[in-house]
Amino acid sequence: MNSEVASLRAALRESPAVVALTGAGVSAESGIPTFRGAGGLWRTFRPEQLATPEAFARDPRLVWEWYDWRRGIIQRAAPNPGHRALADIERRKGDGFTLVTQNVDGLHDRAGNRRPVKLHGDIWQTRCIRCGTVTLNREVPLVLLPPRCPCGGLLRPGVVWFGESLPPLEWQRAVEASRQADLFMLIGTSAVVYPAAGLAEMAHEAGARIAVINPERTPLCGLAEWTLEGAAGEILPNLISP
Ligand code: OAD
């Protein structure tokens, strides 16, 4: 094990308050495409046609077809060693660990994290645009496209789209944990989407030490005391003390 990994492992063990902010990169080794890297979704698809309230108002069926396709990929995927290591860290550190994720795939829950803070929602939830009811929906593929609520209203995916606010309670939990963190780890995120990426800056300003785990450099690497270049599924298991 190299000395940087050993040093971060010691910091993780010794820090009373740790936050991990994850992005699409943690699920890449599970076979789920990222957004911006090679093969990333935003290389092929245009967000303004698929991931905005205006796109949904214009063509709900097209938007749902895309989400239905992604739900199929996610359903066939399984948590990888990176997800499992994060669940293990939570079991060991208890309330001293907060997992904040931008991912909507639910793989952190499936790996055993009890209550990840989901900043961008959950692809397995639907929300009625008429009555607001939120429902868990695991049907793959969806029989009715676009799906409808029993009230007759259109259902939308329970995710955050471009131009929308983050869920307020989740955001508040993430901000509080970030301000109190001694150690803040950015894992598998390009760190370009705000406000999520701003949590690392908030934590740094409040005194946290920053670690980045990513095969590529990110704009927030300049804040980092540790920059571990590699795959989350390979690095994270090494951060757990035996
Ligand atoms: P991105 O696709 O922007 O970035 C994925 C990051 O993961 C890149 O920096 C890759 O270098 C890195 N990566 C790839 N494979 C990895 C691996 N095996 N281990 C570790 N890192 C790896 O995804 P996000 O940063 O999550 O928002 O994107 C943020 C938000 O932008 C998403 O939540 C989504 C998107 O538009 C919404 O849909 C609202």
Side-chain angles (χ1 to χ4, degrees):
M1 185 191 312
N2 76 34
S3 61
E4 226 189 346
V5 172
S7 154
L8 179 55
R9 185 163 102 164
L12 177 59
R13 192 176 52 235
E14 286 152 19
S15 300
V18 177
V19 171
L21 172 66
T22 64
V26 287
S27 295
E29 290 155 271
S30 297
I32 300 174
T34 64
F35 293 95
R36 294 177 183 76
L41 295 170
W42 297 151
R43 300 270 179 117
T44 318
F45 301 101
R46 290 159 57 99
E48 58 275 25
Q49 287 179 348
L50 298 166
T52 64
E54 295 76 23
F56 187 71
R58 203 165 44 235
D59 195 342
R61 188 185 166 92
L62 176 75
V63 170
W64 264 115
E65 279 170 356
W66 190 65
Y67 278 91
D68 198 32
W69 169 72
R70 286 178 59 203
R71 285 160 57 109
I73 295 172
I74 291 166
Q75 191 200 44
R76 291 188 293 276
N80 66 56
H83 295 109
R84 287 198 290 275
L86 288 165
D88 200 357
I89 292 168
E90 182 180 276
R91 274 191 293 275
R92 287 161 187 244
K93 296 200 77 75
D95 290 341
F97 180 71
T98 306
L99 178 61
V100 182
T101 189
Q102 298 164 89
N103 297 347
V104 297
D105 57 30
L107 289 189
H108 286 308
D109 309 74
R110 283 171 59 193
N113 284 101
R114 280 171 304 134
R115 189 157 131 55
V117 181
K118 295 181 185 174
L119 293 180
H120 292 167
D122 185 332
I123 203 165
W124 299 111
Q125 286 185 351
T126 59
R127 189 167 78 243
C128 176
I129 63 167
R130 185 190 290 172
C131 72
T133 302
V134 174
T135 310
L136 190 68
N137 175 320
R138 293 202 164 269
E139 188 180 77
V140 176
L142 287 159
V143 173
L144 186 66
L145 278 180
R148 294 224 168 236
C149 179
C151 84
L154 264 184
L155 294 176
R156 59 163 281 174
V159 301
V160 175
W161 282 326
F162 288 98
E164 294 185 317
S165 309
L166 304 192
L169 291 179
E170 302 288 290
W171 178 244
Q172 192 186 332
R173 254 185 91 199
V175 168
E176 278 168 14
S178 302
R179 290 207 176 117
Q180 287 163 16
D182 303 288
L183 173 65
F184 188 104
M185 303 191 288
L186 286 144
I187 306 169
T189 175
S190 56
V192 295
V193 173
Y194 283 77
L199 292 168
E201 292 161 324
M202 244 179 245
H204 184 253
E205 273 161 33
R209 303 163 85 189
I210 309 290
V212 172
I213 298 173
N214 197 312
E216 317 242 322
R217 291 196 64 81
T218 74
L220 295 185
C221 282
L223 301 181
E225 187 170 335
W226 298 271
T227 308
L228 304 188
E229 285 184 19
E234 287 165 23
I235 293 173
L236 287 171
N238 289 320
L239 296 182
I240 298 166
S241 304

